Amino acid sequence: MELGERRISWAARAMPVLTAIGARFDEDKPLDGLRIAACLHVTAETAVLMGALRAGGARIALAASNPLSTQDDVAEALGAYDISVFARAGVDRGTYYRHIHEALDISPDIVLDDGCDLVNILHTERTDLLSQVSGGTEATTTGVIRLRQMTSEGALKFPVVAVNDTRTKRMFDNRYGTGQSTLDGIMRATNTMLAGKTVVVAGFGYCGRGVAERAKGLGARVVVTEIDPVKALDAALQGYAVMGMGPAAEIGDVFITVTGNRDVIRGEHLAVMKDGAILANAGHFDVEIDVRALDELGVEVHRGVRPSTDEYVLADGRRLLLLAEGRLVNLTAAEGHPAAVMDLSFSAQALAVAWLARERGTLVPGVHDVPGEIDVEVARLKLAANGMEIDTLTADQEEYLHSWRYGS
Amino acid sequence: MELGERRISWAARAMPVLTAIGARFDEDKPLDGLRIAACLHVTAETAVLMGALRAGGARIALAASNPLSTQDDVAEALGAYDISVFARAGVDRGTYYRHIHEALDISPDIVLDDGCDLVNILHTERTDLLSQVSGGTEATTTGVIRLRQMTSEGALKFPVVAVNDTRTKRMFDNRYGTGQSTLDGIMRATNTMLAGKTVVVAGFGYCGRGVAERAKGLGARVVVTEIDPVKALDAALQGYAVMGMGPAAEIGDVFITVTGNRDVIRGEHLAVMKDGAILANAGHFDVEIDVRALDELGVEVHRGVRPSTDEYVLADGRRLLLLAEGRLVNLTAAEGHPAAVMDLSFSAQALAVAWLARERGTLVPGVHDVPGEIDVEVARLKLAANGMEIDTLTADQEEYLHSWRYGS
Amino acid sequence: MELGERRISWAARAMPVLTAIGARFDEDKPLDGLRIAACLHVTAETAVLMGALRAGGARIALAASNPLSTQDDVAEALGAYDISVFARAGVDRGTYYRHIHEALDISPDIVLDDGCDLVNILHTERTDLLSQVSGGTEATTTGVIRLRQMTSEGALKFPVVAVNDTRTKRMFDNRYGTGQSTLDGIMRATNTMLAGKTVVVAGFGYCGRGVAERAKGLGARVVVTEIDPVKALDAALQGYAVMGMGPAAEIGDVFITVTGNRDVIRGEHLAVMKDGAILANAGHFDVEIDVRALDELGVEVHRGVRPSTDEYVLADGRRLLLLAEGRLVNLTAAEGHPAAVMDLSFSAQALAVAWLARERGTLVPGVHDVPGEIDVEVARLKLAANGMEIDTLTADQEEYLHSWRYGS
Amino acid sequence: MELGERRISWAARAMPVLTAIGARFDEDKPLDGLRIAACLHVTAETAVLMGALRAGGARIALAASNPLSTQDDVAEALGAYDISVFARAGVDRGTYYRHIHEALDISPDIVLDDGCDLVNILHTERTDLLSQVSGGTEATTTGVIRLRQMTSEGALKFPVVAVNDTRTKRMFDNRYGTGQSTLDGIMRATNTMLAGKTVVVAGFGYCGRGVAERAKGLGARVVVTEIDPVKALDAALQGYAVMGMGPAAEIGDVFITVTGNRDVIRGEHLAVMKDGAILANAGHFDVEIDVRALDELGVEVHRGVRPSTDEYVLADGRRLLLLAEGRLVNLTAAEGHPAAVMDLSFSAQALAVAWLARERGTLVPGVHDVPGEIDVEVARLKLAANGMEIDTLTADQEEYLHSWRYGS
């Protein structure tokens, strides 16, 4: 078996739900005769998704949504699966856009996008293809924002499902995926022992909760900072210490930002930190730790004292350790979400494509939520893949719930 | 100090948020000149709420929403606070309704209800008072259901705030209040050691999650049953064993139902349980454990082998222990929610009354949600009462969040 | 069934190990023909122990080791089991000692003691019986100290097994029994919500560890104070906050002493505590909280504001709540160890008696440890009672371990 | 700064206790005039130890205890510290022994050994140096076994402190160091998500307990297997599922052996495992998983499907993943103990050397335990390094404890 195939096979084994959906698609052919143009990261996990859609009967053309993430051996292996791939690691901007055009040449019924570039080209340079397109999916928050703007201007010409925003993703990706991979990244970068350490987690949304749970589970005392009193109170009632970043900065050994906001750790905080404090970001953008303030405070910088670790020496001799230059520590210092988590997101995406195929012509242009039953279906399949059976309602129970909901 | 006053004082010390709101009301007099008719459980915690509203300038008449829960010494002490109380423990049905009428005689501007009896009388027997009423609050789910029916029939004549449904209540009351008091009830009833036991929690909503966490925290192995695959998967990812009630019935030492549905533990489950299994319900109604099935299976019943504990001997000699006759174990075998939890709910209620007073004339008749800022305010005050300070957004951060939300 | 019998039956169901030992004794009759004089608390759990020894073939005379703990209905029920009981609740000192003499009249082969009073009388007033006695057990630390003194003076005339000091007891009684029952006592006394509270645990021995784990499991932030740096470091590495009682006194909501030392909470600490702080002791003697200092600081004392709760009002208005007058909170405010824990201790005691019978004549006078195999046997039976099977060594593994231990 | 120096500096920052001891040694010169020959792994952490001993006044010659672990850049940097180093990565057997001889040429007063090779050469080939040696330390269990054999044969000519066996090491190294690094290794090797997985931990000694805690802390359901009923019961009471390896093999997703015994996972267990099961060993020797049985069952083996991961395909298509070829997963797939843990062990070693120096002439030949006060001192310094202050006994408390211990 070649390396590309090996990688896909490895990913597939951690993606039993998507594999099961692929098997079902192979029988039911819900995408029979449809053409799909996709613009996604060309990785082993994506390959498993493509395989499922192909099994469903679709013809597929795939371009890369980012040339840096393309795994060339996977791209090559996908060719053997009868999928047209237009992607190569490290190509220039021109080639990147040409690849998207080449994928669009399939004249898609359905499009899969990751950042809205393909949809944008469709609406500007390839408007001739628009009438054929009956729907699409978008996998990023940024892409969804662009789509909503298009919608508000009346520009979007077909329905797009925001596959980023499923209940499953929020509950599972964010909490369990980010939680584990963030701590994993910090251990790989620093090999620091977390037991007995004070870990400051900035932000107590789904991601922050996951990070805090894993830090606590590794033996740390966890301090939570928040700006929302309700979330802060929730953290306190879960047994975390809650305070502002000011006092937290003085006692923390490890700092993890995961707020979605900028400048959460600022110069005033850096100024009072302990020698050896570790700074990591698990929020999407690299704005949460004020790296410029750190640059100004550092009289000396040693890059790469450990993998993904830069040491800033302050004027008074204290040393602060910045991981991954303030970028996502779980992607940079570890390997991002485990495939088991991608299994949930990509399964929702596969089911969303089948739903789009089924509902062709009934959906208005605009951004649509993933239907709730897809979340339920993905969770159901995941439980089954793990060998867990759960109860179903009896007829009496159905009736009881129904009567209760509508009053007596 | 008399016993009634002592009780109120004890409750007040565990209710620092409501106390703080009372102090603020005393300064700002947001209810100045308003008349309030309330129909609530006449307990020490309610007395603290009444005190806060009184401090805000309201004149108050209070009837009992249930004669069984009236604490006569508290009722007496409230008289001394210049609040008219129409309540006595153990009165008959006629007196109960007469008391509500007497409270309504105040001709209220605002009404507080707990089950919709007072609002119902207002709309049927005291319609002359309706024009004076500018709004109300309702504290129970059942009451809210009745109000929604009235609304859909066009019968409700003023706006009512559903104080039962705040984010704070769902997050805190249900999870932390029910969680602790349920386990507390089981320990008081049976003095059983939970470490090493298998505890089966049926239902993984907010309450179930709280019960599962506390059982785990006391050293039990926790099994979760659910009918919603998404919640079931969440339980599995939090490390709980997940299965149907069938297999769970065979391995459980303690069973706790908290689903909101009927017949969660049925004859088929009782039939396979271990000798000595303990059955407790933490759901609102006593329908979750099928007590009739247990009655049929039991060849002998020993009532009260321990406080709130009945022993059912089955034909083969196995003994099952039913707590609190299948009714709410945290209320029957323990003391219900700790006052610290009521502090949150009643504080939201006090702020909702002030909001109603402020918005008089601007709200349409019907059921209204508690405004989100009240949740935030209650949480903020609770944190302050616990000496916890949290961060606030800088101007840059405000702008960043704003720009992000609306795209770049 | 009478109340006494009902109580014994209830206790027996939570004591499957002792019950299993009783059944085995009933077959093997390891105590056939032996006479036992016992001086123990006359409770339902003790009755189960007596039943097991009786089943083993012993004739038994039982006196109370403390007239306050005697359950008269249990004493009566035991009579029906063919056990001579000399005990009644609330008797005076003279009757107490007469009862011990009456029990000794059986002319025992083996004695069971709980505090060394019976053994003491044997060696002073009933020396005629000494030659018949082949051994005894002692269940308390205090009793063991007295026995060691007797041994060092050459006074002790037979071997006594210190059943208090088994590995099982230290690991299980102290950690899981004290842990749960202490928190149980605090909840019964105060109904305080522990989630989000700061609980200060003084002492991190086996008991303290158990208390800290249960407090954490109920959602509290736990602070540990210690005087042993190794234990303190262990607490820190388990994620607890570690500090001295000075700073802890300022931030704690609930204080639990479990050190075995005096004056752990002193006037200087009481002086800085928060309004509403709760003080509880889980150590054996009531010396850990300096109650006299509290008496001096309190300008007003309200006894019994809650069950087992006294409120001390300080000069500045702060109120401190002392539980159980500083005595063992798990015994006074709750019900002490769950029977499941007594099952382990009393099973070790039953097996120790059988071991004494078997080894008659081979043991020198003095204090003997419980043989390690008794711990193993008790644990093995407990696992079996809970339906847990564990592995045994293969022949290869036995050999490997053996060769490893003695070098290659 | 050169790489070697950089590495040492990185290690030193995570070793504040050893650094503090070095600073104290620098003032007190407890090793003034002494010559030390050491045979240890030549790593950055060892360099920090050497630095502390050098600061104490010793002259030092260092040979490698294993040529594979020598970090050449560290060896070079140590030369600059005025320490004679005889070590180079990858040397042959002859050179290895020559290096030890060269280190011995210093004619040591004290020796530090790690596996007993240096001590062995001293007693066989360099007996002329024996009269000068006043004591030594040995850091491995294997070495201690060899030394005990020498002692029993009367061959050992000086006292040796078994620095491997301190209470601190057992409590901290084993539990927190092995716990974290084992899970770290599994995540680096497989990137598997642990939340929701069933992790089987074989063995519940100090190491197994640490591994179980970390697995639970990462969201796994943990199953414990044991052969000692007391440890098994302890695991059960901590909420773990306890069973034999037979049933565990059928339900586990990840298996971690840490028993100190051989063949813990055998062919019969491999035969029933789930597709995708992960096998890892955290015990000292690579005998715990029966790799030969796996070789026989595997019809295909893919080496290196992930870092440190080999995939065995069984006849029925199931795939088992063996990590690190069954060797210590925390050393092979991760980086072994965090330096923070080595800080404790090496600090105990430094203090043991100072103790040997102080007690010269008073200790008999043979294996000696590390004095208890060294454990206490190391823990005390570690707490101080983490900014934690703890209580000390008052005079009254000292007296109370004393009087209690010796009776009243």
Side-chain angles (χ1 to χ4, degrees), chain B residues 13, chain C residues 249-250 267-277 294 297-300 311-321:
Chain B
R13 93 181 50 190
Chain C
E250 298 182 29
E268 66 204 75
H269 305 128
L270 299 168
V272 299
M273 285 183 182
K274 297 198 287 191
D275 181 34
L294 190 53
L297 283 168
V299 293
E300 231 178 289
E311 175 184 81
Y312 288 76
V313 184
L314 307 196
D316 60 3
R318 279 178 301 127
R319 294 156 299 184
L320 302 183
L321 299 163

Side-chain angles (χ1 to χ4, degrees), chain A residues 184-246:
Chain A
D184 187 8
I186 291 170
M187 288 191 285
R188 294 194 199 196
T190 63
N191 202 35
T192 197
M193 186 158 87
L194 289 156
K197 288 286 194 320
T198 297
V199 172
V200 177
V201 179
F204 202 66
Y206 278 96
C207 287
R209 218 167 303 172
V211 168
E213 281 170 348
R214 290 298 92 95
K216 185 182 187 175
L218 286 161
R221 274 183 305 290
V222 175
V223 172
V224 169
T225 77
E226 246 301 336
I227 52 124
D228 176 345
V230 177
K231 289 183 185 163
L233 182 54
D234 198 26
L237 289 172
Q238 285 176 40
Y240 299 109
V242 172
M243 61 187 75
M245 185 54 82

Side-chain angles (χ1 to χ4, degrees), chain B residues 160-300:
Chain B
V160 181
V161 179
V163 290
N164 183 55
D165 291 340
T166 69
R167 187 172 156 219
T168 336
K169 180 176 162 69
R170 219 170 44 237
M171 281 174 72
F172 303 135
D173 254 62
N174 290 355
R175 183 161 172 189
Y176 305 107
T178 304
Q180 174 172 317
S181 58
T182 296
L183 274 301
D184 186 10
I186 292 170
M187 288 191 284
R188 294 194 199 197
T190 64
N191 202 34
T192 197
M193 185 158 87
L194 288 157
K197 288 286 193 320
T198 298
V199 173
V200 178
V201 178
F204 203 67
Y206 278 97
C207 287
R209 218 167 302 172
V211 169
E213 281 170 347
R214 290 296 93 95
K216 184 182 188 176
L218 285 160
R221 273 182 305 290
V222 175
V223 172
V224 170
T225 77
E226 246 300 336
I227 51 123
D228 176 346
V230 176
K231 288 183 186 164
L233 182 54
D234 198 27
L237 290 172
Q238 285 175 40
Y240 298 109
V242 172
M243 61 186 75
M245 185 54 82
E250 297 182 29
I251 61 174
D253 296 302
V254 179
F255 295 81
I256 306 171
T257 54
V258 55
T259 68
N261 207 336
R262 59 179 286 187
D263 298 339
V264 177
I265 295 180
R266 297 186 291 273
E268 66 204 77
H269 306 127
L270 299 167
V272 299
M273 284 182 181
K274 297 198 286 191
D275 182 34
I278 293 170
L279 306 169
N281 170 49
H284 198 73
F285 297 108
D286 63 348
V287 299
E288 309 214 359
I289 300 168
D290 185 350
V291 177
R292 274 164 316 173
L294 189 54
D295 277 331
E296 281 167 28
L297 283 168
V299 294
E300 232 178 288

Side-chain angles (χ1 to χ4, degrees), chain A residues 58-121:
Chain A
R59 282 182 49 213
I60 304 176
L62 170 65
S65 63
N66 186 324
L68 294 178
S69 61
T70 297
Q71 298 170 343
D72 284 334
D73 43 9
V74 167
E76 195 176 330
L78 272 170
Y81 285 22
D82 191 22
I83 288 168
S84 311
V85 181
F86 307 96
R88 216 173 56 246
V91 300
D92 61 21
R93 200 170 171 78
T95 312
Y96 169 72
Y97 282 111
R98 184 166 50 74
H99 281 157
I100 295 179
H101 275 280
E102 287 171 339
L104 283 171
D105 288 343
I106 199 174
S107 184
D109 298 290
I110 290 176
V111 295
L112 275 56
D113 212 350
D114 185 272
C116 207
D117 278 348
L118 182 144
V119 167
N120 192 47
I121 290 174

Side-chain angles (χ1 to χ4, degrees), chain C residues 198-219:
Chain C
T198 298
V199 173
V200 178
V201 179
F204 203 65
Y206 279 97
C207 287
R209 218 167 302 171
V211 169
E213 282 170 346
R214 289 297 93 97
K216 184 181 188 176
L218 286 161

